[in-house]
Amino acid sequence: FARQVPQVRRFTGIDISEAMLAETARNFAPLNIRPQLSCQSIDDLHFADDTFDMAMNAHVLEHLADPSAGLRELTRTLKPGAPLLTLTSRWCPFTALQQGWWNYRPIPYRRLTAMMRNAGLVNIHTVMLSRTPWVRDMSRAVIAFKA
């Protein structure tokens, strides 16, 4: 994202893994960006309401015991009108094999959009993630906006 939208110079990253946060810092280093990194879970964020201009999460919700709680927290921290980009796993034969290994459950699209609406998100729609068939079949990208 930072490479595609270079005018955005301030990033905040969260993860429950210190190792992933260290990897994030390494990935940002060549761009001369020092992201604010915080070890926490998206279902209990330590940020004020209406803090962020945008939020993005990738393959997180399907790992949570209550993905709705994660969506509510992300939405709470967004400024009104701000976008939330969510990437989730879709069910396909390959992800069916991965579910036990990675301990996740794909979220059906109708359930995901219902959770998003209940969290206070509007104008929900999918976006093209990739033209590569196996990537397109395994993941879904959905964008919505805080009401």
Side-chain angles (χ1 to χ4, degrees):
F1 184 82
R3 284 185 183 95
Q4 297 300 316
V5 188
Q7 62 271 30
V8 178
R9 303 306 293 170
R10 189 168 150 236
F11 291 87
T12 301
I14 65 163
D15 203 292
I16 59 171
S17 165
E18 291 283 357
M20 290 304 293
L21 292 172
E23 182 69 20
T24 298
R26 282 191 294 278
N27 287 334
F28 272 92
L31 303 173
N32 294 318
I33 298 172
R34 293 191 55 168
Q36 175 189 350
L37 301 176
S38 180
C39 191
Q40 54 183 301
S41 177
I42 70 166
D43 53 8
D44 184 27
L45 295 172
H46 305 144
F47 298 103
D49 294 358
D50 305 329
T51 297
F52 298 109
D53 297 316
M54 180 199 174
M56 179 178 133
N57 67 93
H59 301 287
V60 174
L61 296 177
E62 56 267 47
H63 292 274
L64 299 176
D66 183 3
S68 293
L71 281 170
R72 284 191 304 271
E73 273 294 274
L74 286 167
T75 303
R76 178 188 65 75
T77 65
L78 285 172
K79 292 177 182 175
L84 170 65
L85 177 61
T86 298
L87 282 73
T88 61
S89 299
R90 299 174 66 171
W91 189 95
C92 74
F94 188 70
T95 57
L97 295 172
Q98 291 180 316
Q99 288 179 54
W101 181 307
W102 293 104
N103 191 30
Y104 73 90
R105 294 172 308 283
I107 302 169
Y109 182 70
R110 286 184 188 203
R111 181 171 173 235
L112 177 63
T113 56
M115 289 188 302
M116 292 176 120
R117 280 190 298 277
N118 290 337
L121 296 164
V122 296
N123 195 15
I124 302 164
H125 58 277
T126 58
V127 292
M128 173 81 64
L129 183 60
S130 173
R131 294 189 190 283
T132 306
W134 67 270
V135 173
R136 187 182 58 233
D137 292 345
M138 290 178 54
S139 297
R140 171 181 286 117
V142 179
I143 192 163
F145 299 82
K146 182 174 181 177

